Amino acid sequence: MAIQHTMEQRLEQLAERRAAVEAGGGEKRIEKQHAQGKMSARERLAALLDEGSFQEDGAFRRNRTTTFGMDKADMPADGVVTGSGSVLGRPVHFASQDFTVMGGSAGEAHSIKVTEALKASLMTGTPFVFINDSGGARVQEGIDSLSGYGKVFYANVLLSGAVPQISIIAGPCAGGAAYSPALTDFIIQTRKAHMFITGPGVIKQVTGEEVTQDDLGGADAHMGRSGVVHFVADDDEQAILIAKKLLSFLPQNNTEDAPIVDPDFVVEPNEKLRDILPVESNKGYDVRDVIREVVDHADFLEVQAGWAQNIVVGFGRIVGRSVGIIANQPSVMSGVLDIDSSDKASKFVRFCNAFNIPVVNLVDVPGFLPGVAQEHNGIIRHGAKMLYAYSAATVPKITVVLRKAYGGAYLAMCSKDLGADKVFAWPTAEIAVMGAEGAANVVFRREIEAAEDSDAKRAEMVEEYRETFSTPYMAASRGLVDDIIDPADTRRQIALALELLSAKRELRPAKKHGLGPA
């Protein structure tokens, strides 16, 4: 005879089972996480999500593998917490790997849960946040584990350009697992985490090279050398704060605009902007000083701040509207464009275009970096990415030439010919094929060689070239600059242009996709 259970008994059983799931790998393993300065999977979600908004999916999902003792393994939620909630009042979907459950290893059910959460994100048009803390593929599940990774990668690509994807690397992320973050839009890595395809042990065995985990796949290595990560956080708490701030600048999906947030309506002339550029045209300065005077509340979220520092990219707001800012950095390598800065800028422009975020370009660029290594490593191919990204972008594009804008680099920083909707120039702008010194040696070579005092003649010719071509007035006379403005009026001019261009519509030829430089 079947035993009948009352509703109260069934609810008690449910509570017990849910408590077991929420306990993850148990107190001792959670304490070990804390001892390492890391949060548990659920603690991270509690810090990320608005209070009371957490809704879990698949809490009672279990693996179906029976080999190698897996039929007896206790793996609450199969080592990953998935579901939905809200961040700053806006819905998100998430996955948070639980290192206390079998090292957060990814098996079949684990990866299917992540894939289902990704697809729910796409279906509802909500951003996806994936918190990575995993020992890698669950070896006991063999090919099923690898298949799970493939499903996650495929879903990452489906979401790409449709909803924002943010990865937080909060623990180990090795082997195939590293490719899911690489397919997302932004990676935030803590200094307690490591990410690599092959670890130090395998590298030593195969190549004989010895390297520490930090030097190989630590956050600083990926920021300063590889350019893989976009933000570095000291710990889980800071990583989550960065994710929240980043989400505040972004729309929910590619069919929406970013929200208007805390607009600063003050656009009166700002005389501080007149004093930032040095008198000497060959002297560096920090372009972030310009950015902070232009954006609302001096609030600028720089992306990949430690990589390719000769260009600065990041998010700000102007009168409440999110904008992506791309600016040459004269204090680093004189602001030249090279392979890494071209990759950094072009990827950022493509993200902004995918998610309807206008781009503002602050130009002070002497050219592309010359050198054998740059040529042999493909500066042509990489530099072309900037030309492609700007030309393909249909969002509002506003360019302000602060000082130097020479040669192909002038074009690559979103000139009028690459589709800039508005181009402003400060009176200090020098827009030319090359700098006056180099140009005079080419244009006036015979006159200089024939002169009795060649040095004096060269100086004279340099000044003549500078007065004729190295000014914004020649470009303005050709319609390549819309207006020459007082630096103090920069914020107001950009704000007016953004308001006008908010209704911009631009049709492009019908095609599957373009074939940009790889």
Side-chain angles (χ1 to χ4, degrees):
M1 180 176 176
I3 299 175
Q4 298 295 317
H5 293 282
T6 65
M7 177 60 77
E8 184 177 352
Q9 289 171 321
R10 291 181 183 276
L11 290 174
E12 285 178 4
Q13 184 186 51
L14 172 61
E16 289 173 4
R17 292 199 172 203
R18 190 173 296 282
V21 168
E22 292 176 353
E27 286 186 19
K28 287 186 178 180
R29 290 182 180 173
I30 291 174
E31 286 172 5
K32 189 174 180 180
Q33 285 277 100
H34 292 167
Q36 295 172 345
K38 301 196 300 183
M39 295 178 175
S40 70
R42 292 178 184 273
E43 287 169 341
R44 289 166 180 152
L45 291 173
L48 174 69
L49 302 173
D50 299 339
E51 188 175 357
S53 68
F54 173 82
Q55 187 170 30
E56 185 171 359
D57 296 326
F60 300 107
R61 189 77 65 87
R62 294 183 63 85
N63 74 295
R64 61 178 181 173
T65 307
T66 58
T67 55
F68 302 109
M70 291 296 289
D71 54 330
K72 299 180 179 64
D74 181 22
M75 295 183 291
D78 209 62
V80 64
V81 185
T82 58
S84 61
S86 64
V87 175
L88 303 176
R90 303 163 71 209
V92 300
H93 279 79
F94 60 77
S96 180
Q97 292 179 316
D98 189 348
F99 195 80
T100 70
V101 176
M102 252 190 125
S105 57
E108 180 190 37
H110 178 116
S111 293
I112 288 174
K113 284 180 64 176
V114 174
T115 302
E116 288 174 351
L118 282 160
K119 290 182 177 179
S121 169
L122 180 61
M123 181 179 67
T124 56
T126 57
F128 191 83
V129 180
F130 193 172
I131 305 176
N132 294 258
D133 188 1
S134 169
R138 192 174 295 160
V139 180
Q140 296 90 332
E141 297 194 29
I143 193 66
D144 289 337
S145 177
L146 290 179
S147 174
Y149 273 150
K151 289 179 172 64
V152 172
F153 301 160
Y154 188 83
N156 285 138
V157 174
L158 288 180
L159 269 64
S160 181
V163 296
Q165 299 180 79
I166 298 172
S167 296
I168 297 176
I169 313 300
C173 183
Y179 282 116
S180 176
L183 290 168
T184 63
D185 301 309
F186 297 100
I187 300 175
I188 306 165
Q189 183 174 349
T190 76
R191 286 199 165 90
K192 301 180 186 299
H194 300 96
M195 178 168 51
F196 36 66
I197 299 301
T198 52
V202 175
I203 287 176
K204 183 178 180 180
Q205 183 181 356
V206 174
T207 70
E209 297 172 288
E210 293 192 19
V211 64
T212 66
Q213 284 200 337
D214 281 340
D215 286 343
L216 180 64
D220 291 327
H222 279 311
M223 175 61 78
R225 298 177 193 171
S226 72
V228 168
V229 306
H230 299 82
F231 302 94
V232 171
D234 290 331
D235 52 28
D236 292 351
E237 185 176 8
Q238 188 179 31
I240 288 162
L241 288 174
I242 292 170
K244 285 184 172 184
K245 186 172 181 69
L246 176 58
L247 284 167
S248 77
F249 286 101
L250 309 182
Q252 290 291 89
N253 55 63
N254 66 329
T255 68
E256 299 181 6
D257 292 330
I260 302 291
V261 176
D262 191 20
D264 178 1
F265 293 105
V266 177
V267 292
E268 279 69 29
N270 179 359
E271 295 185 6
K272 291 180 181 177
L273 285 163
R274 296 174 181 165
D275 301 325
I276 292 175
L277 265 61
V279 175
E280 303 89 343
S281 64
N282 61 351
K283 189 174 180 181
Y285 62 93
D286 191 341
V287 76
R288 290 170 295 193
D289 293 337
V290 177
I291 295 171
R292 283 188 284 266
E293 296 300 330
V294 169
V295 299
D296 291 3
H297 314 297
D299 183 18
F300 176 60
L301 180 62
E302 187 172 355
V303 176
Q304 290 184 303
W307 185 60
Q309 296 179 58
N310 44 323
I311 202 160
V312 173
V313 305
F315 297 104
R317 294 186 182 89
I318 296 180
V319 194
R321 297 180 190 273
S322 286
V323 294
I325 296 174
I326 302 96
N328 306 113
Q329 177 57 292
S331 66
V332 179
M333 299 167 60
S334 300
V336 296
L337 293 176
D338 63 352
I339 287 171
D340 288 345
S341 61
S342 297
D343 286 354
K344 175 178 172 179
S346 59
K347 178 69 182 297
F348 185 73
V349 170
R350 288 173 65 80
F351 175 84
C352 290
N353 188 53
F355 290 102
N356 312 313
I357 299 172
V359 293
V360 174
N361 312 287
L362 303 179
V363 182
D364 190 347
V365 62
F368 281 97
L369 180 65
V372 174
Q374 287 288 305
E375 295 292 347
H376 285 181
N377 288 316
I379 184 62
I380 295 172
R381 176 166 49 89
H382 291 270
K385 293 180 184 181
M386 291 190 67
L387 304 175
Y388 191 94
Y390 277 122
S391 298
T394 58
V395 292
K397 296 179 284 192
I398 300 167
T399 297
V400 183
V401 182
L402 310 181
R403 195 169 62 173
K404 297 175 182 176
Y406 293 159
Y410 148 69
L411 296 173
M413 283 299 297
C414 198
S415 65
K416 198 78 167 176
D417 298 297
L418 262 59
D421 300 294
K422 285 285 186 180
V423 177
F424 302 108
W426 287 5
T428 46
E430 302 176 13
I431 304 172
V433 174
M434 63 176 69
E437 288 79 5
N441 288 334
V442 174
V443 177
F444 304 112
R445 179 175 58 84
R446 291 181 180 176
E447 291 90 332
I448 293 170
E449 289 176 351
E452 291 184 9
D453 187 343
S454 59
D455 289 340
K457 188 64 175 179
R458 182 181 292 106
E460 178 188 337
M461 294 297 96
V462 166
E463 191 58 31
E464 181 178 335
Y465 186 90
R466 181 176 286 118
E467 288 298 318
T468 305
F469 291 104
S470 298
T471 72
Y473 298 101
M474 179 61 75
S477 74
R478 299 290 194 268
L480 301 176
V481 167
D482 292 303
D483 197 8
I484 301 166
I485 63 172
D486 180 341
D489 289 332
T490 304
R491 175 174 158 83
R492 184 176 71 88
Q493 293 287 358
I494 294 174
L496 289 171
L498 286 171
E499 180 66 28
L500 175 68
L501 293 165
S502 63
K504 177 184 175 182
R505 299 291 181 269
E506 186 173 338
L507 298 177
R508 292 298 177 98
K511 54 186 173 182
K512 259 189 156 181
H513 55 76
L515 299 171

